[in-house]
């Protein structure tokens, strides 16, 4: 007996059920009408955003907070192109997202039809893979593959473009059990011989340091990292993407490396004799001048993506594999070894004491103080950030204890990311307090989502560190362009309290130190979407700072 | 330094764009490219010649391997392999030069595939050097038009580039 046939759009919904999708962030339009008609009755929550870019960022934030694949949906043409910044953001930070777009009917493709854009062509360089479905019978296979590709190996965004006629074509639906991809077989376990060699390099070193990043969080290897670091008594520096991978208050933690990292993390890298790099990619913001990076160190590089190994720095010992697996087997090989890191840790201890992360603690309201107070009131919050000074202060002054609690656009540096990503994180983790640390500039890039969080009752707290400047650009202008503040001033352009109220959210303001704690507590207590306007010192700088292109031990201490 | 790559890919639309897009995005330079179906209808083989130092070449291999539609990437060594290109060359001739051109064609073991009053079309296959040498000689008579394919290459002996299990 023939199976009942269902339309392509229904097959999409069935595929999403099969993948366990609970929520979609999306925005309807002409070419996704059949899909939205099916969604009307579907058992999947749909969050209607106010701009497709926010849908992509929200799916990304949801994925980073939960570890699941995030899903966003948009119509063809402008809907699809509006997703692109969000897709590129997810690609740079290896975030599993499936983006579904409508496309003009198959017969019109290539005719410059209304709302037609070649979105598979446009997203080619910013997706892990993408599909244009040309036969409705391919829907189940393509969805199975897309979720598999997005979520495994080095994760990343996958886009599926579905012409409108394909959404109404009838097919017999059967969801495949397995994927059959000849060209995609991610390698999970590290080469055992290489792991052994790594273990002996580690036991032979006097000044080892772990340099870890987002890979630890993605592979959920924090526990293994902690055991390994404690067994070896080796210091750990955590990149921006790795915040939370290792508790930042742990005695072995030396904080963040690189441009705005701690002095002691940078000193430790420069003086180490062995760098154990795990799930990192030696970004230029971390390494500074590459020829002067860690001049005395051998480098062990553990990564699931072989293309990252040897891309930016020469590596003495590569291990391709999943961080959790590799660290686990590494732990077996070093368990009983005696390390000689005593002197090294003493030295680092002195650096920590002599060059702590700090700021001027006077009567003025400084942005770092706001972050410290957020930490004091909500120590277990998920922090989503915008990009710029706010992002660096959040990374420097919030105490991250567990993975998936710091959500930030590291690679692409997308302003306007934090608020919608925080919204996605809150949808995925409704029981966590989610705070968006924002700048007044970044927030205005996607502030329309206040409408979304109010309509869908997603109580995130937006903490705007409002200095009336595009602060990070202003800081560079101050330091390198003779204080000529070209187009970076935005003072008194918007009343954020009134803006919040206009959308039906709670608006609060603090302009003095004494008011900070109170407004944070009020925001938490309200349980409502809240915007807090922290009117902070206008020309505060992020410090310390390694100028672009300098070696990471050539550090500026800024007022 | 030039390297010849044999790349087995899924035989479906858009794959060439993905490969070519990767080369341009990562600023790798393609010297020559040829694509055709293999002994298996679902698999195509691209032969790409890239120039660049060892570091660049390593990155090319690794980045190609990351493409989902790329099944296998192998290097074809300069020696111990058969390398071939094909060229069609239209040479202007008259009664006084025709015989001489035909002699050159014989020496190179090429073929004349079209004869006109004022021109000959010559088909030649061989490695790059052979075709370059022929081209040099024919320039003397006046090349009116020339088309060359990208290089294709295959290992000598039992060694094969095949989709694994």
């Amino acid at each position: 007996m023939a199976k009942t046939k269902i339309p392509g759009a229904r097959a999409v919904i069935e595929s999403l059920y099969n993948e366990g999708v609970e929520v979609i962030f999306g925005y309807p339009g002409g070419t996704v009408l059949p899909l939205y008609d099916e969604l009307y009755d579907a058992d999947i929550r749909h969050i209607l955003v106010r701009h497709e870019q926010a849908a992509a960022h929200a799916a990304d934030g949801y994925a980073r907070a939960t570890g699941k694949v995030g899903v966003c949906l948009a119509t063809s043409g402008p809907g699809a192109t509006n997703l692109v910044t969000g897709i590129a953001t997810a690609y740079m930070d290896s975030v599993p997202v499936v983006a579904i777009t409508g496309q003009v009917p198959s017969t019109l493709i290539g005719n410059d039809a209304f709302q037609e854009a070649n979105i598979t062509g446009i997203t080619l360089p910013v997706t892990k893979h993408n599909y244009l479905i040309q036969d409705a019978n391919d829907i189940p296979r393509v969805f199975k593959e897309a979720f598999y590709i997005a979520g495994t190996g080095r994760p990343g965004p996958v886009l599926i473009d579905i012409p409108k006629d394909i959404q109404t074509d009838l097919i017999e639906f059967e969801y495949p059990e397995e994927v059959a991809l000849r060209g995609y077989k991610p390698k999970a376990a590290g080469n055992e011989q290489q792991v052994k060699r790594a273990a002996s390099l580690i036991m032979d070193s006097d000044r080892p340091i772990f340099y870890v990043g987002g890979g630890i969080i993605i592979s959920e290897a924090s526990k293994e990292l902690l055991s390994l670091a404690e067994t070896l008594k080796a210091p750990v520096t955590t990149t921006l993407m790795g915040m939370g991978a290792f508790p930042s208050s742990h005695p072995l933690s030396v904080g963040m490396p690189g441009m705005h990292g701690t002095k002691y993390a940078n000193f430790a890298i420069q003086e180490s004799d062995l760098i154990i790099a795990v799930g990192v990619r030696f970004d230029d913001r971390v390494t500074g001048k590459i020829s002067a990076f860690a001049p005395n160190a051998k480098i062990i590089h553990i990564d699931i993506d072989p293309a990252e190994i040897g891309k930016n720095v020469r590596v003495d010992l590569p291990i391709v594999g999943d961080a959790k697996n590799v660290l686990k087997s590494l732990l077996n090989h070093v368990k009983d070894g005696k390390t000689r890191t005593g002197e090294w840790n003493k030295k680092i201890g002195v650096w920590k004491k002599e060059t702590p992360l700090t700021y001027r603690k006077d009567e003025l309201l400084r942005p770092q103080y706001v972050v410290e107070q957020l930490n004091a009131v909500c120590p277990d919050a998920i922090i989503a950030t915008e990009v710029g000074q706010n992002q660096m202060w959040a990374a420097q002054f919030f105490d991250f204890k567990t993975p998936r609690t710091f959500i930030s656009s590291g690679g692409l540096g997308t302003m306007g990311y934090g608020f919608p990503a925080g919204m996605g994180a809150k949808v995925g983790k409704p029981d966590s307090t989610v705070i968006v640390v924002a700048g007044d500039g970044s927030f205005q890039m996607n502030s329309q989502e206040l409408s979304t969080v109010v309509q869908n009752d997603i109580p995130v707290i937006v903490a705007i560190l409002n200095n009336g400047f595009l602060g990070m650009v202003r800081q560079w202008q101050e330091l390198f362009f003779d204080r000529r503040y070209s187009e970076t001033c935005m003072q008194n352009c918007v009343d954020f309290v009134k803006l919040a109220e206009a959308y039906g959210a709670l608006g609060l303001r603090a302009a003095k130190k004494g008011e900070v704690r109170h407004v944070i507590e009020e925001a938490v207590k309200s349980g409502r979407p809240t915007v807090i306007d922290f009117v902070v010192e206008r020309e505060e700088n992020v410090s310390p700072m390694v100028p672009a292109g300098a070696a990471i031990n050539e550090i500026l201490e800024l007022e | 330094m030039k390297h010849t790559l044999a790349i087995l890919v899924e035989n479906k639309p858009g794959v060439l764009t993905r490969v070519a897009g990767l080369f341009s995005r990562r600023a790798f330079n393609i010297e020559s490219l040829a694509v055709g179906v293999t002994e298996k209808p679902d698999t195509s083989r691209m032969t790409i010649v890239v120039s660049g130092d060892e570091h660049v070449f390593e990155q090319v291999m690794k980045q190609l391997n990351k493409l989902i539609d790329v099944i296998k990437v192998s290097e074809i060594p300069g020696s111990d392999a058969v390398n071939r290109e094909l060229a069609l060359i239209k040479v202007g001739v008259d009664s006084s030069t025709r015989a001489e051109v035909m002699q050159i064609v014989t020496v190179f073991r090429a073929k004349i595939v079209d004869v006109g009053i004022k021109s000959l079309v010559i088909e030649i296959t061989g490695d790059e050097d052979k075709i370059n040498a022929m081209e040099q000689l024919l320039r003397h008579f006046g090349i009116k038009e020339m088309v060359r394919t990208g290089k294709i290459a295959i290992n000598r002996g039992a060694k094969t580039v095949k989709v694994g299990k």
Side-chain angles (χ1 to χ4, degrees):
Chain A
M1 203 178 74
K3 282 179 79 174
T4 333
K5 291 198 167 188
I6 59 170
R10 180 76 214 157
V12 170
I13 303 295
E14 292 294 332
S15 301
L16 295 175
Y17 286 158
N18 272 281
E19 293 298 334
V21 173
E22 293 158 349
V23 60
I24 294 177
F25 302 89
Y27 202 98
T31 62
V32 282
L33 277 166
L35 258 170
Y36 270 87
D37 191 57
E38 290 291 343
L39 265 174
Y40 195 66
D41 305 314
D43 192 17
I44 293 177
R45 186 177 180 197
H46 180 277
I47 307 284
L48 174 63
V49 295
R50 296 300 181 268
H51 186 296
E52 290 90 347
Q53 183 187 349
H57 290 326
D60 168 315
Y62 172 89
R64 293 193 209 214
T66 62
K68 301 178 198 163
V69 177
V71 180
C72 58
L73 171 58
T75 192
S76 63
T81 56
N82 276 344
L83 291 179
V84 173
T85 300
I87 293 172
T89 304
Y91 183 70
M92 286 289 268
D93 290 344
S94 311
V95 182
V97 169
V98 168
I100 304 165
T101 51
Q103 182 54 279
V104 300
S106 308
T107 48
L108 292 180
I109 290 179
N111 288 4
D112 302 320
F114 176 66
Q115 291 195 327
E116 179 182 1
N118 173 7
I119 198 62
T120 46
I122 290 168
T123 57
L124 204 68
V126 293
T127 48
K128 188 168 170 187
H129 195 53
N130 64 25
Y131 295 90
L132 168 62
I133 298 188
Q134 288 166 306
D135 178 346
N137 288 297
D138 291 340
I139 289 172
R141 176 185 58 80
V142 166
F143 273 77
K144 179 79 186 174
E145 288 178 5
F147 277 82
Y148 178 70
I149 291 168
T152 56
R154 178 179 184 174
V158 177
L159 179 133
I160 307 172
D161 198 22
I162 316 175
K164 194 175 185 181
D165 55 320
I166 302 285
Q167 297 170 35
T168 50
D169 283 352
L170 296 176
I171 65 160
E172 282 178 17
F173 181 84
E174 191 172 346
Y175 206 64
E177 295 271 311
E178 278 174 19
V179 290
L181 288 162
R182 298 192 289 175
Y184 180 68
K185 298 196 167 54
K187 188 170 176 288
N191 180 300
E192 198 56 28
Q193 285 309 313
Q194 291 291 87
V195 173
K196 267 188 204 161
R197 275 184 211 119
S200 75
L201 270 183
I202 292 170
M203 298 315 297
D204 276 349
S205 77
D206 295 310
R207 301 184 305 281
I209 182 168
F210 282 96
Y211 153 42
V212 303
I216 296 282
I217 292 169
I218 294 166
S219 82
E220 307 195 320
S222 295
K223 239 175 56 194
E224 288 75 9
L225 173 66
L226 184 66
S227 320
L228 202 51
E230 286 179 345
T231 305
L232 299 168
K233 297 177 193 68
V236 179
T237 178
T238 315
T239 68
L240 189 72
M241 297 313 301
M243 285 288 140
F246 192 79
S248 50
S249 53
H250 192 285
L252 288 170
S253 170
V254 292
M256 186 168 73
M259 184 174 278
H260 293 297
T262 62
K263 283 188 169 180
Y264 41 93
N266 288 335
F267 291 159
I269 287 174
Q270 291 304 76
E271 293 216 6
S272 79
D273 64 356
L274 180 69
I275 290 176
I276 310 149
V278 194
V280 290
R281 58 189 179 85
F282 295 86
D283 181 81
D284 54 272
R285 284 292 186 266
V286 168
T287 61
K289 186 178 175 184
I290 205 99
S291 58
F293 177 75
N296 308 312
K298 288 196 167 147
I299 297 177
I300 299 170
H301 192 180
I302 301 164
D303 204 283
I304 195 142
D305 180 359
E308 284 305 338
I309 294 175
K311 186 180 82 177
N312 294 340
V313 294
R314 45 137 203 100
V315 167
D316 299 280
L317 199 138
I319 302 177
V320 177
D322 178 73
K324 192 186 184 79
N325 288 328
V326 176
L327 293 189
K328 233 187 227 171
S329 56
L330 197 52
L331 197 55
N332 288 334
H333 289 293
V334 298
K335 221 166 222 169
D336 310 314
K338 284 209 166 44
T339 54
R340 359 179 248 257
T341 54
E343 281 302 307
W344 179 225
N345 281 315
K346 240 181 254 167
K347 193 166 192 184
I348 290 172
V350 173
W351 285 332
K352 273 188 172 180
K353 207 167 280 169
E354 286 175 351
T355 61
L357 264 185
T358 188
Y359 61 97
R360 198 192 292 181
K361 292 176 184 172
D362 51 14
E363 74 289 352
L364 298 171
L365 177 51
R366 299 189 185 270
Q368 300 94 327
Y369 177 78
V370 174
V371 176
E372 283 181 343
Q373 289 303 306
L374 290 170
N375 189 45
V377 179
C378 311
D380 299 315
I382 293 175
I383 301 293
T385 79
E386 294 291 349
V387 166
Q389 289 184 317
N390 62 81
Q391 179 184 33
M392 292 300 114
W393 287 319
Q396 290 178 332
F397 292 97
F398 200 91
D399 176 16
F400 294 97
K401 296 168 209 66
T402 52
R404 305 198 182 282
T405 55
F406 181 73
I407 293 173
S408 191
S409 169
L412 198 65
T414 308
M415 287 173 69
Y417 168 83
F419 179 34
M423 170 172 94
K426 182 69 183 174
V427 169
K429 291 276 185 184
D431 298 333
S432 298
T433 302
V434 175
I435 301 171
V436 179
V437 175
D440 49 308
S442 292
F443 179 63
Q444 289 184 72
M445 282 203 180
N446 268 321
S447 60
Q448 79 285 344
E449 297 308 313
L450 280 170
S451 179
T452 310
V453 293
V454 169
Q455 187 190 5
N456 292 281
D457 190 23
I458 306 168
V460 296
I461 299 167
V462 182
I464 303 176
L465 307 177
N466 183 359
N467 55 14
F469 273 117
L470 297 174
M472 188 59 93
V473 184
R474 185 210 56 75
Q475 177 170 337
W476 283 54
Q477 288 173 334
E478 175 188 332
L479 296 172
F480 311 117
F481 292 88
D482 206 17
R483 294 184 70 109
R484 287 157 53 85
Y485 293 161
S486 180
E487 301 299 324
T488 41
C489 182
M490 288 186 168
Q491 198 181 16
N492 299 332
C493 293
V494 58
D495 181 329
F496 288 110
V497 173
K498 280 189 184 155
L499 182 76
E501 286 167 353
Y503 280 108
L506 178 62
L508 300 170
R509 177 171 291 124
K512 294 194 184 92
K513 259 179 127 171
E515 299 164 354
V516 171
R517 190 148 185 140
H518 176 71
V519 291
I520 298 170
E521 284 165 351
E522 198 179 334
V524 174
K525 210 172 69 195
S526 77
R528 292 170 58 197
T530 305
V531 175
I532 313 176
D533 182 20
F534 291 103
V535 185
V536 297
E537 267 307 287
R538 296 205 66 209
E539 298 194 35
E540 189 74 15
N541 284 325
V542 177
S543 179
M545 179 178 188
V546 177
I552 55 171
N553 52 355
E554 296 167 20
I555 305 170
L556 305 178
E557 191 67 58
L558 305 172
E559 267 294 298
Chain B
M1 182 67 187
K2 285 185 187 178
H3 298 270
T4 304
L5 288 175
I7 308 164
L8 296 178
V9 300
E10 298 289 348
N11 181 13
K12 56 188 188 193
V15 179
L16 178 61
T17 317
R18 291 180 198 278
V19 172
L22 185 137
F23 273 79
S24 74
R25 178 162 61 96
R26 300 265 172 194
F28 304 143
N29 198 18
I30 297 182
E31 298 265 328
S32 141
L33 179 144
V35 197
V37 74
T38 64
E39 69 279 5
K40 288 186 178 163
D42 62 356
T43 308
S44 293
R45 176 161 166 162
M46 296 183 183
T47 308
I48 297 184
V49 181
V50 299
S51 58
D53 61 22
E54 284 306 316
H55 178 75
V56 168
F57 178 64
E58 190 188 318
Q59 267 295 307
V60 170
M61 297 271 284
K62 286 175 166 176
Q63 294 293 344
L64 282 169
N65 267 313
K66 280 174 73 169
L67 295 177
I68 308 289
D69 288 332
V70 168
I71 303 160
K72 187 170 187 173
V73 186
S74 320
E75 187 182 7
I76 304 287
S79 57
D80 238 21
V82 181
N83 298 288
R84 287 293 180 271
E85 287 176 36
L86 167 72
L88 295 171
I89 306 171
K90 188 175 285 180
V91 186
V93 290
D94 56 31
S95 50
S96 66
T97 57
R98 183 175 285 115
E100 202 179 337
V101 170
M102 287 170 80
Q103 253 179 0
I104 291 171
V105 167
T106 313
V107 171
F108 274 86
R109 279 187 277 172
K111 269 193 278 186
I112 291 167
V113 289
D114 181 72
V115 183
I117 305 287
K118 292 180 175 169
S119 67
L120 295 173
V121 176
I122 297 160
E123 174 195 311
I124 177 170
T125 59
D127 62 18
E128 196 184 356
D129 290 347
K130 177 177 167 184
I131 294 174
N132 288 347
M134 175 111 173
E135 183 197 338
Q136 283 304 315
L137 276 174
L138 293 177
R139 272 199 189 285
H140 178 68
F141 302 93
I143 294 176
K144 293 186 160 188
E145 195 179 347
M146 180 169 83
V147 210
R148 281 174 80 154
T149 63
K151 175 165 111 173
I152 56 170
I154 198 164
N155 288 308
R156 288 186 191 277
K159 199 173 163 197
T160 57
V161 176
K162 270 186 136 164
V163 181
K165 274 172 277 171

